[in-house]
Amino acid sequence: MSNAQRSPKVVIIGAGMTGILMAIKCLDRGINDIVVLEKADKIGGTWRENTYPGVACDVPAHLYTYSFAMNPNWSRYYAGGGEIQGYFEEIVQRYQLEQYIQCGQEVTSSEFDQGQWTVTTNSGEQYQADFVFCATGILHHPAYPNIKGLDSFAGKMFHTARWDHSVKFDSSVKVGVIGNGSTAAQFIPELVNSGADVSVFMRTPQWIMPVSDRAFGNWERYLLNRSPWLQRLYRWGSTVLLKDFFNRALSGAPIRRWLLDKLVRLNLRRSVKDKALRAQLQPDFQVGCKRVIINTTFYPAIQKQNAHLIRDGIAEITPQGVLMQDGTLHQCDVLILSTGFNALSYMRPMALTGSNGVDIEAAWKHKIEAYRSVLLKDYPNFFLMLGPHTPIANFSIIAMSEVQGDYIMQLIDKWMQGDFDTVSPKQEAITAYQQFIRDGLSGSTWASGCQSWYLDADGDAIVWPYSWASYVESMSQPIFSDLDLRKQDAPA
Ligand code: NAP
């Protein structure tokens, strides 16, 4: 607890992993005037929305957990989506957050005026706040491919984040899958195992790193339940693997990068015996340029009789299926769009209006800019959680939210002590920060010549182009000289 003189009103947008975290952080500091607005009918974010077969988190479960609420009961090394959803539901109960969460309230606009935010939802409700924590996630808005004739398809067609569970897969069903990222690598093996005839339309092959999954034994969970030290040891092991090997390999350590490159190449060579198929699956870009897929099931699945890898370009979608540029038609009963997300949407389509009436669409028209991911120039006291330059290779996104949450709460502490009324970054600090990000990207694996959601249309980084350790360091405390801290009645 801080020596607070005053306590803010806080609106948290989104009751996914980050929104839940921020509610806990507020309550921890004695800030009770909070409301969490959730557009759906239940909490969970990513894990509520992604229910495709085989959905799991490819970050080890003991690391994909709040640091303050470890879970000794994870059933597997990589927890399934349903189990992760259950973890967050249990956390909401444990911290008695239900009273603060309002489901079915989609925020349509947030407007800043005279030192206060007014947040409006689709039901017309309005909420006043000193601070808004925008916890709407990164990979939230499905990206639909711009392919001629897509809407003409006569069978069932859906995006992976809108999985149609009424469709049953068996040997009578011909399925077409467009895309082959981390999501596709998880569900394609499930479809192949169902006996369905699965055609995978792969535009760009991706590197796959094999890290085996396994179930935790009853004895192991018994011990984990009795020893917080053991829980921390499991977490530490995964952290070392991701932070000190994987993340450093991508962010510049040459020997680690060389080793990772050898590992993914060896994985392809050992897993796929047929040379022609192997050549089709071989990426032509550096490992890590696109997010590395962690998976052991895709290569075996794509070699099964009922799986077909199709690399020729798609010409168009017809009512019957997928027509290739060479004129071949692949007939499909079901078409699954595993085409990822619009990572640059952030809080939109919500209307966001900052000081002097600045609209976010206008502010970001030419370039999305933020300072230390969470602060935006004309949007005082508005924190965009998991904002630009947040994804940090394959590390745990929960850890990223925690680091950002701690940074933000240091500012809230200062507000509570009456040091300022509004905070936003100075333009020169934003400009310097953008240059710092550009400097890190140049020569990195992310800028080595592939197309990915890690880069914007100009080829600038959406990711943090340095190591995880440097991110933690850079977010450890606010640099107050970079910030425009104002008292309400003070002149501008
Ligand atoms: P993604 O990695 O963005 O992959 C999209 C796929 O769709 C790519 O193969 C892309 O091909 C293809 N595609 C897009 N438009 C296309 C078009 N017009 N024609 C043909 N192909 C097209 O999407 P994702 O697999 O859903 O994964 C997104 C992110 O979600 C991941 O990077 C990861 O951060 C996260 N994720 C995490 C986990 C986890 O376990 N932690 C699991 C799943 C997803 P190109 O490569 O040629 O563009």
Side-chain angles (χ1 to χ4, degrees):
M1 279 285 290
S2 59
N3 301 324
Q5 306 288 305
R6 55 178 178 167
S7 188
K9 278 179 193 286
V10 176
V11 167
I12 300 171
I13 307 175
M17 173 277 290
T18 306
I20 294 168
L21 170 77
M22 294 312 286
I24 294 170
K25 284 197 180 294
C26 283
L27 295 174
D28 205 33
R29 274 183 164 64
I31 302 169
N32 298 312
D33 197 348
I34 60 173
V35 61
V36 185
L37 301 173
E38 168 55 55
K39 71 174 178 180
D41 59 0
K42 63 175 184 176
I43 67 109
T46 293
W47 305 105
R48 178 196 63 232
E49 299 206 349
N50 287 279
T51 59
Y52 56 82
V55 61
C57 183
D58 65 11
V59 174
H62 287 276
L63 180 56
Y64 197 83
T65 307
Y66 294 131
S67 60
F68 54 86
M70 296 291 288
N71 176 14
N73 295 315
W74 289 121
S75 67
R76 307 192 66 81
Y77 185 72
Y78 293 124
E83 191 174 3
I84 299 171
Q85 173 71 14
Y87 167 76
F88 288 118
E89 286 173 2
E90 194 274 316
I91 291 286
V92 165
Q93 279 179 16
R94 195 192 307 174
Y95 287 84
Q96 299 177 357
L97 301 181
E98 297 94 335
Q99 57 189 306
Y100 304 104
I101 298 175
Q102 296 196 14
C103 287
Q105 293 280 10
E106 178 170 2
V107 173
T108 50
S109 71
S110 297
E111 196 170 343
F112 184 77
D113 189 31
Q114 299 187 8
Q116 282 272 304
W117 282 96
T118 302
V119 177
T120 308
T121 68
N122 56 347
S123 64
E125 298 276 338
Q126 291 202 316
Y127 302 82
Q128 304 296 318
D130 299 301
F131 290 96
V132 176
F133 300 160
C134 183
T136 44
I138 314 175
L139 300 173
H140 177 54
H141 301 283
Y144 290 89
N146 185 12
I147 301 176
K148 188 176 159 197
L150 191 68
D151 290 337
S152 72
F153 183 63
K156 291 263 190 182
M157 181 175 74
F158 51 87
H159 188 277
T160 50
R162 304 282 181 271
W163 197 270
D164 183 343
H165 289 278
S166 71
V167 178
K168 300 294 167 226
F169 294 95
D170 58 34
S171 57
S172 67
V173 182
K174 277 183 186 296
V175 193
V177 177
I178 300 180
N180 52 286
S182 301
T183 302
Q186 290 181 341
F187 77 79
I188 287 171
E190 303 285 323
L191 297 190
V192 171
N193 289 341
S194 77
D197 187 83
V198 182
S199 296
V200 179
F201 298 93
M202 177 182 282
R203 187 165 64 180
T204 317
Q206 300 219 33
W207 289 117
I208 301 183
M209 164 102 170
V211 183
S212 298
D213 190 16
R214 70 179 182 87
F216 292 122
N218 286 341
W219 61 270
E220 212 171 358
R221 279 186 281 163
Y222 175 86
L223 292 177
L224 281 160
N225 267 290
R226 267 144 200 82
S227 169
W229 284 105
L230 194 60
Q231 294 174 34
R232 273 182 229 131
L233 184 68
Y234 274 47
R235 186 181 174 92
W236 176 81
S238 304
T239 305
V240 167
L241 176 73
L242 279 174
K243 174 172 85 77
D244 293 334
F245 172 65
F246 200 79
N247 187 255
R248 294 222 33 226
L250 300 183
S251 62
I255 295 174
R256 291 174 175 85
R257 171 102 53 95
W258 178 86
L259 195 59
L260 187 59
D261 178 75
K262 289 284 164 281
L263 272 172
V264 291
R265 285 175 195 277
L266 185 67
N267 181 38
L268 177 58
R269 194 153 355 115
R270 289 191 52 172
S271 307
V272 182
K273 297 293 170 215
D274 181 280
K275 276 191 179 166
L277 180 63
R278 201 193 303 153
Q280 298 266 299
L281 289 165
Q282 168 110 28
D284 63 359
F285 52 83
Q286 274 186 24
V287 61
C289 185
K290 285 173 182 276
R291 184 182 189 272
V292 181
I293 296 174
I294 313 286
N295 180 278
T296 53
T297 53
F298 177 73
Y299 285 152
I302 200 69
Q303 295 174 80
K304 294 206 170 148
Q305 292 262 307
N306 56 326
H308 319 284
L309 181 71
I310 297 149
R311 288 291 318 274
D312 317 313
I314 297 173
E316 65 180 285
I317 307 296
T318 71
Q320 293 77 33
V322 183
L323 182 66
M324 309 311 292
Q325 279 162 6
D326 68 2
T328 314
L329 175 70
H330 295 277
Q331 294 208 339
C332 305
D333 305 308
V334 182
L335 193 55
I336 300 174
L337 307 176
S338 188
T339 42
F341 299 86
N342 293 317
L344 299 180
S345 293
Y346 295 107
M347 80 301 280
R348 296 175 284 184
M350 176 184 109
L352 180 64
T353 312
S355 44
N356 306 319
V358 179
D359 170 49
I360 195 68
E361 295 295 344
W364 278 359
K365 188 166 172 215
H366 300 297
K367 199 81 190 158
I368 288 177
E369 283 193 335
Y371 171 80
R372 289 185 193 248
S373 306
V374 295
L375 282 160
L376 310 176
K377 164 127 191 312
D378 291 307
Y379 303 86
N381 294 10
F382 182 96
F383 296 104
L384 176 58
M385 309 247 0
L386 301 178
H389 319 305
T390 295
I392 301 161
N394 287 50
F395 205 68
S396 169
I397 197 117
I398 298 187
M400 298 172 210
S401 286
E402 286 196 21
V403 164
Q404 294 184 0
D406 290 341
Y407 175 91
I408 291 167
M409 293 320 282
Q410 290 183 58
L411 292 171
I412 302 288
D413 281 345
K414 293 278 183 200
W415 185 94
M416 290 171 82
Q417 288 155 17
D419 288 8
F420 67 89
D421 291 323
T422 62
V423 55
S424 58
K426 292 177 181 164
Q427 182 58 54
E428 56 267 33
I430 299 176
T431 306
Y433 193 72
Q434 300 305 318
Q435 189 54 48
F436 169 65
I437 296 291
R438 238 170 254 132
D439 292 346
L441 186 67
S442 112
S444 78
T445 188
W446 295 287
S448 63
C450 73
Q451 185 276 326
S452 81
W453 68 264
Y454 281 172
L455 304 177
D456 70 10
D458 302 327
D460 284 327
I462 293 304
V463 282
W464 172 256
Y466 300 99
S467 68
W468 167 247
S470 68
Y471 189 73
V472 174
E473 168 66 23
S474 88
M475 295 295 285
S476 59
Q477 50 190 351
I479 299 170
F480 287 99
S481 56
D482 281 354
L483 303 176
D484 187 1
L485 302 167
R486 292 191 187 186
K487 298 286 274 183
Q488 198 73 326
D489 42 10

